[in-house]
Amino acid sequence: GSVTQNTPVTVIGDVELSITGALIMCPDQTTRLSLNTTPAVDPALLSTAVWTWPGGSFTGASVEVNPDTNTTYTVTLTLGQCGTVSSSAGVQVLDQPSVSISAQRDTVFSRAPVILIAETSPTTGVTLNWTPAPDSQTGNTFNFTAPENADTTILNQTYRVDLTTNEGCTAFATYTIAVKRPRGDVPNIFSPNGDSRNDVFKIFNAEEITGIDIRVYNRWGQLVYESDNNNGWDGNFKGDPAPADVYIYRVKFTIGGEIFDITGELTLVR
């Protein structure tokens, strides 16, 4: 007699492949590409798919990639005796965005305006987030107010801007501004003897000083010197050397928006 054996046979018709995943990505990002078939096939068969790209290959139903440049990925699936089918997809790597900061001034006084300019690439389609937040903005110019510095040392204030493109790519930059406490030193002694040392009574260590009003009185309350500049008193009164004595001064001036009004004794030494 004869023996008949029934063997199940799987018939694979036309199979179409497609690749899914993020095909547009930012630099240094990773994306996973997955293989899909129409109609669906046995998952065990999908696991035998071979991915290839310039300089690399991988076997599996999906592959994780992080290309540096635009790259084409090809996946090939062997359908047993029915041959192979392939599909390709290109992954586009976007340009790395950038942002830089410049300042009108690197050193300011407490509570003074700070003006920072942000230059970005690309110039459009980006969002900028500052820390700390600006007071206002005009185009790519951002206005801040320097913090209070009540110390004699320099306070370094760092500003950070984070850039995000419409595609989600990021970059950041920082800039540090030196914040100084407004100051003006008024001496209590001077010696107008022509040796170029302490020859004049004036305001020292004063930068960007405005609103100057200097007045010096003798012990009888007579005004012996008055000026609206900081050239200084040379110790003369009405063309003659004023006598060595203790005088009273009142000095008013403004630095960095802060008004100073200082009164004290001044010793003139001959």
PDB file of all heavy atoms in Angstrom, residues 11-27:
ATOM      1  N   VAL A  11       1.777  29.598   2.503  1.00  0.00           N
ATOM      2  CA  VAL A  11       1.963  30.278   1.228  1.00  0.00           C
ATOM      3  C   VAL A  11       2.108  31.768   1.485  1.00  0.00           C
ATOM      4  O   VAL A  11       1.235  32.389   2.090  1.00  0.00           O
ATOM      5  CB  VAL A  11       0.777  30.005   0.282  1.00  0.00           C
ATOM      6  CG1 VAL A  11       0.968  30.758  -1.038  1.00  0.00           C
ATOM      7  CG2 VAL A  11       0.631  28.513   0.048  1.00  0.00           C
ATOM      8  N   ILE A  12       3.225  32.313   1.065  1.00  0.00           N
ATOM      9  CA  ILE A  12       3.495  33.737   1.249  1.00  0.00           C
ATOM     10  C   ILE A  12       3.282  34.441  -0.078  1.00  0.00           C
ATOM     11  O   ILE A  12       3.940  34.140  -1.079  1.00  0.00           O
ATOM     12  CB  ILE A  12       4.937  33.971   1.747  1.00  0.00           C
ATOM     13  CG1 ILE A  12       5.153  33.267   3.090  1.00  0.00           C
ATOM     14  CG2 ILE A  12       5.216  35.464   1.871  1.00  0.00           C
ATOM     15  CD1 ILE A  12       6.544  33.392   3.631  1.00  0.00           C
ATOM     16  N   GLY A  13       2.311  35.330  -0.075  1.00  0.00           N
ATOM     17  CA  GLY A  13       2.064  36.080  -1.295  1.00  0.00           C
ATOM     18  C   GLY A  13       2.974  37.297  -1.369  1.00  0.00           C
ATOM     19  O   GLY A  13       4.040  37.344  -0.749  1.00  0.00           O
ATOM     20  N   ASP A  14       2.579  38.300  -2.097  1.00  0.00           N
ATOM     21  CA  ASP A  14       3.371  39.521  -2.187  1.00  0.00           C
ATOM     22  C   ASP A  14       3.399  40.214  -0.833  1.00  0.00           C
ATOM     23  O   ASP A  14       2.359  40.436  -0.205  1.00  0.00           O
ATOM     24  CB  ASP A  14       2.768  40.454  -3.230  1.00  0.00           C
ATOM     25  CG  ASP A  14       2.899  39.882  -4.641  1.00  0.00           C
ATOM     26  OD1 ASP A  14       3.806  39.037  -4.833  1.00  0.00           O
ATOM     27  OD2 ASP A  14       2.117  40.268  -5.508  1.00  0.00           O
ATOM     28  N   VAL A  15       4.588  40.538  -0.391  1.00  0.00           N
ATOM     29  CA  VAL A  15       4.786  41.223   0.900  1.00  0.00           C
ATOM     30  C   VAL A  15       5.442  42.570   0.631  1.00  0.00           C
ATOM     31  O   VAL A  15       6.450  42.648  -0.075  1.00  0.00           O
ATOM     32  CB  VAL A  15       5.650  40.383   1.849  1.00  0.00           C
ATOM     33  CG1 VAL A  15       5.944  41.160   3.133  1.00  0.00           C
ATOM     34  CG2 VAL A  15       4.971  39.055   2.166  1.00  0.00           C
ATOM     35  N   GLU A  16       4.849  43.596   1.210  1.00  0.00           N
ATOM     36  CA  GLU A  16       5.425  44.933   1.098  1.00  0.00           C
ATOM     37  C   GLU A  16       6.026  45.338   2.442  1.00  0.00           C
ATOM     38  O   GLU A  16       5.431  45.090   3.493  1.00  0.00           O
ATOM     39  CB  GLU A  16       4.363  45.946   0.672  1.00  0.00           C
ATOM     40  CG  GLU A  16       3.814  45.717  -0.735  1.00  0.00           C
ATOM     41  CD  GLU A  16       2.815  46.786  -1.134  1.00  0.00           C
ATOM     42  OE1 GLU A  16       2.536  47.674  -0.285  1.00  0.00           O
ATOM     43  OE2 GLU A  16       2.312  46.735  -2.269  1.00  0.00           O
ATOM     44  N   LEU A  17       7.194  45.948   2.373  1.00  0.00           N
ATOM     45  CA  LEU A  17       7.873  46.399   3.587  1.00  0.00           C
ATOM     46  C   LEU A  17       7.750  47.917   3.733  1.00  0.00           C
ATOM     47  O   LEU A  17       7.715  48.643   2.749  1.00  0.00           O
ATOM     48  CB  LEU A  17       9.368  46.032   3.537  1.00  0.00           C
ATOM     49  CG  LEU A  17       9.742  44.574   3.282  1.00  0.00           C
ATOM     50  CD1 LEU A  17      11.263  44.410   3.408  1.00  0.00           C
ATOM     51  CD2 LEU A  17       9.032  43.646   4.241  1.00  0.00           C
ATOM     52  N   SER A  18       7.700  48.344   4.970  1.00  0.00           N
ATOM     53  CA  SER A  18       7.751  49.785   5.266  1.00  0.00           C
ATOM     54  C   SER A  18       8.578  49.982   6.526  1.00  0.00           C
ATOM     55  O   SER A  18       8.658  49.097   7.385  1.00  0.00           O
ATOM     56  CB  SER A  18       6.352  50.360   5.442  1.00  0.00           C
ATOM     57  OG  SER A  18       5.685  49.751   6.537  1.00  0.00           O
ATOM     58  N   ILE A  19       9.195  51.154   6.616  1.00  0.00           N
ATOM     59  CA  ILE A  19      10.055  51.495   7.754  1.00  0.00           C
ATOM     60  C   ILE A  19       9.421  52.668   8.493  1.00  0.00           C
ATOM     61  O   ILE A  19       9.066  53.685   7.894  1.00  0.00           O
ATOM     62  CB  ILE A  19      11.474  51.864   7.294  1.00  0.00           C
ATOM     63  CG1 ILE A  19      12.135  50.665   6.601  1.00  0.00           C
ATOM     64  CG2 ILE A  19      12.320  52.339   8.470  1.00  0.00           C
ATOM     65  CD1 ILE A  19      13.473  50.987   5.973  1.00  0.00           C
ATOM     66  N   THR A  20       9.264  52.508   9.790  1.00  0.00           N
ATOM     67  CA  THR A  20       8.714  53.582  10.606  1.00  0.00           C
ATOM     68  C   THR A  20       9.752  54.021  11.632  1.00  0.00           C
ATOM     69  O   THR A  20      10.643  53.255  12.008  1.00  0.00           O
ATOM     70  CB  THR A  20       7.433  53.150  11.328  1.00  0.00           C
ATOM     71  OG1 THR A  20       7.729  52.002  12.160  1.00  0.00           O
ATOM     72  CG2 THR A  20       6.348  52.772  10.332  1.00  0.00           C
ATOM     73  N   GLY A  21       9.595  55.242  12.082  1.00  0.00           N
ATOM     74  CA  GLY A  21      10.529  55.821  13.046  1.00  0.00           C
ATOM     75  C   GLY A  21      10.733  57.286  12.727  1.00  0.00           C
ATOM     76  O   GLY A  21      10.234  57.802  11.721  1.00  0.00           O
ATOM     77  N   ALA A  22      11.459  57.972  13.586  1.00  0.00           N
ATOM     78  CA  ALA A  22      11.750  59.387  13.362  1.00  0.00           C
ATOM     79  C   ALA A  22      12.802  59.501  12.272  1.00  0.00           C
ATOM     80  O   ALA A  22      13.947  59.080  12.452  1.00  0.00           O
ATOM     81  CB  ALA A  22      12.231  60.036  14.649  1.00  0.00           C
ATOM     82  N   LEU A  23      12.407  60.070  11.142  1.00  0.00           N
ATOM     83  CA  LEU A  23      13.313  60.154   9.999  1.00  0.00           C
ATOM     84  C   LEU A  23      13.967  61.531   9.885  1.00  0.00           C
ATOM     85  O   LEU A  23      14.794  61.745   8.990  1.00  0.00           O
ATOM     86  CB  LEU A  23      12.557  59.821   8.703  1.00  0.00           C
ATOM     87  CG  LEU A  23      11.922  58.421   8.666  1.00  0.00           C
ATOM     88  CD1 LEU A  23      11.241  58.181   7.326  1.00  0.00           C
ATOM     89  CD2 LEU A  23      12.962  57.340   8.949  1.00  0.00           C
ATOM     90  N   ILE A  24      13.581  62.449  10.757  1.00  0.00           N
ATOM     91  CA  ILE A  24      14.251  63.745  10.854  1.00  0.00           C
ATOM     92  C   ILE A  24      14.678  63.912  12.305  1.00  0.00           C
ATOM     93  O   ILE A  24      13.851  63.838  13.208  1.00  0.00           O
ATOM     94  CB  ILE A  24      13.328  64.908  10.422  1.00  0.00           C
ATOM     95  CG1 ILE A  24      12.886  64.734   8.974  1.00  0.00           C
ATOM     96  CG2 ILE A  24      14.028  66.240  10.604  1.00  0.00           C
ATOM     97  CD1 ILE A  24      11.921  65.811   8.498  1.00  0.00           C
ATOM     98  N   MET A  25      15.965  64.136  12.543  1.00  0.00           N
ATOM     99  CA  MET A  25      16.456  64.139  13.908  1.00  0.00           C
ATOM    100  C   MET A  25      17.515  65.217  14.109  1.00  0.00           C
ATOM    101  O   MET A  25      18.123  65.719  13.157  1.00  0.00           O
ATOM    102  CB  MET A  25      17.014  62.766  14.269  1.00  0.00           C
ATOM    103  CG  MET A  25      18.122  62.285  13.358  1.00  0.00           C
ATOM    104  SD  MET A  25      18.576  60.573  13.668  1.00  0.00           S
ATOM    105  CE  MET A  25      19.162  60.665  15.341  1.00  0.00           C
ATOM    106  N   CYS A  26      17.716  65.573  15.364  1.00  0.00           N
ATOM    107  CA  CYS A  26      18.731  66.553  15.733  1.00  0.00           C
ATOM    108  C   CYS A  26      20.076  65.862  15.902  1.00  0.00           C
ATOM    109  O   CYS A  26      20.146  64.649  16.099  1.00  0.00           O
ATOM    110  CB  CYS A  26      18.341  67.238  17.045  1.00  0.00           C
ATOM    111  SG  CYS A  26      16.768  68.123  16.973  1.00  0.00           S
ATOM    112  N   PRO A  27      21.154  66.605  15.812  1.00  0.00           N
ATOM    113  CA  PRO A  27      22.472  66.002  16.040  1.00  0.00           C
ATOM    114  C   PRO A  27      22.547  65.352  17.416  1.00  0.00           C
ATOM    115  O   PRO A  27      21.957  65.818  18.383  1.00  0.00           O
ATOM    116  CB  PRO A  27      23.430  67.198  15.934  1.00  0.00           C
ATOM    117  CG  PRO A  27      22.696  68.198  15.105  1.00  0.00           C
ATOM    118  CD  PRO A  27      21.250  68.034  15.454  1.00  0.00           C
TER     119      PRO A  27
END
